[in-house]
Amino acid sequence: MGVFRAAAVQMRSGMEPERNARDMEALVREAAGFGATYVQTPEMTGAMVREKEAREKLFVPEDRDIIVATARRLAEELGLFLHIGSTAILREDGKVANRALLFSPTGETLATYDKIHMFDVDLDHGESWRESAAYEPGTHAVTARINDATLGFAICYDLRFPQLFRAEALAGAQVLTVPAAFTRQTGEAHWHVLLRARAIENGAFVVAAAQGGQHEDGRETFGHSLIVDPWGRVLAEADHDRPGVVVAEIDPSQSAAARGKIPNLKNAREFTLADGAGRTVERAEA
């Protein structure tokens, strides 16, 4: 299997999609200059807008979205796979998706993925989020082929649902993706350990481009974009919350090697959950 260079682009998206598209273009070009042939941007590349009315004014269909158009052009011009971690897309049914898009070196749309798990949480210090109030959750896990490897899709809060990554790994994904806009509070607590856990338990690379810093709408994100290998080792990290690019070599054969050493994907067994009296409460799949 061919080795390729992956890049995670760290951004600090503001409230104007046009400016974010320019910032994205500069960083993608920087990644291409480092030799990356797969480049990933973070969740909500297009805009970070918390206020409901201002946010809804930005929602447009995929064929009118400036991030989509810019990414398609860059992928073709630079001859690389460009993965927009996500941007808000107005669907044909009038609902809005938090959508990832993967473009080929010819500008073709290879895959789209709508975030499945909505970030509806109540954190310490009064920090509260209701993603489901703005976006319609997706219903399908997605994989796609790039550079002789299979890529599995996820977005941010999906990271806390290991069954999604297990399904993609069982479908052959050697590279799992987690573009994100983790809050500083949750990022400091869980970002590194969760990403490394998903890599280890699936014997897969994990590429996670992040938003970072203080945003125009008042929120603060953690940054620390990471690329992790199938043994859980951090290959590259943006050890800060500023915009930038990190790169690492991806050798899909290392995924096969890790799974050969610890074959937990094929060793999984079905089981039942019983109460103290031995009565079956629930049946679970491997």
Side-chain angles (χ1 to χ4, degrees), residues 111-193:
T112 63
Y113 165 75
D114 292 351
K115 185 177 182 180
I116 293 173
H117 301 98
M118 298 289 97
F119 190 53
D120 291 356
V121 302
D122 297 296
L123 305 174
D124 291 340
H125 315 299
E127 186 176 359
S128 183
W129 298 94
R130 291 293 180 272
E131 188 176 13
S132 63
Y135 300 99
E136 183 72 11
T139 57
H140 301 290
V142 174
T143 64
R145 292 285 293 175
I146 65 162
N147 290 322
D148 295 324
T150 299
L151 191 80
F153 289 78
I155 299 172
C156 202
Y157 190 50
D158 285 332
L159 179 59
R160 297 181 183 272
F161 298 86
Q163 64 272 27
L164 172 62
F165 299 86
R166 176 54 56 94
E168 292 174 351
L170 288 170
Q174 305 108 327
V175 182
L176 303 172
T177 67
V178 196
F182 252 59
T183 68
R184 178 164 297 279
Q185 186 176 170
T186 57
E188 288 176 344
H190 301 144
W191 177 245
H192 289 78
V193 68

Side-chain angles (χ1 to χ4, degrees), residues 68-113:
V68 171
T70 302
R72 190 187 305 279
R73 170 175 57 81
L74 283 171
E76 185 172 11
E77 177 189 340
L78 300 173
L80 49 74
F81 293 93
L82 182 50
H83 176 181
I84 298 304
S86 87
T87 196
I89 295 294
L90 183 64
R91 306 190 325 186
E92 291 183 359
D93 61 4
K95 297 177 180 179
V96 180
N98 186 348
R99 179 169 295 173
L101 303 101
L102 177 67
F103 299 98
S104 77
T106 62
E108 175 190 1
T109 303
L110 290 181
T112 63
Y113 165 75

Side-chain angles (χ1 to χ4, degrees), residues 22 28 30 49 52 55 58 71 81 94 167 178 217 223 231 252 270:
R22 291 194 296 271
V28 170
E30 182 178 344
V49 183
K52 183 176 184 291
R55 183 177 61 235
L58 301 176
F81 293 93
V178 196
D217 70 348
W231 207 245
E270 292 185 357

Side-chain angles (χ1 to χ4, degrees), residues 188-218:
E188 288 176 344
H190 301 144
W191 177 245
H192 289 78
V193 68
L194 285 173
L195 288 169
R196 293 182 68 203
R198 296 297 88 85
I200 293 165
E201 65 199 11
N202 293 296
F205 288 90
V206 172
V207 183
Q211 295 280 356
Q214 192 75 41
H215 297 264
E216 285 182 303
D217 70 348

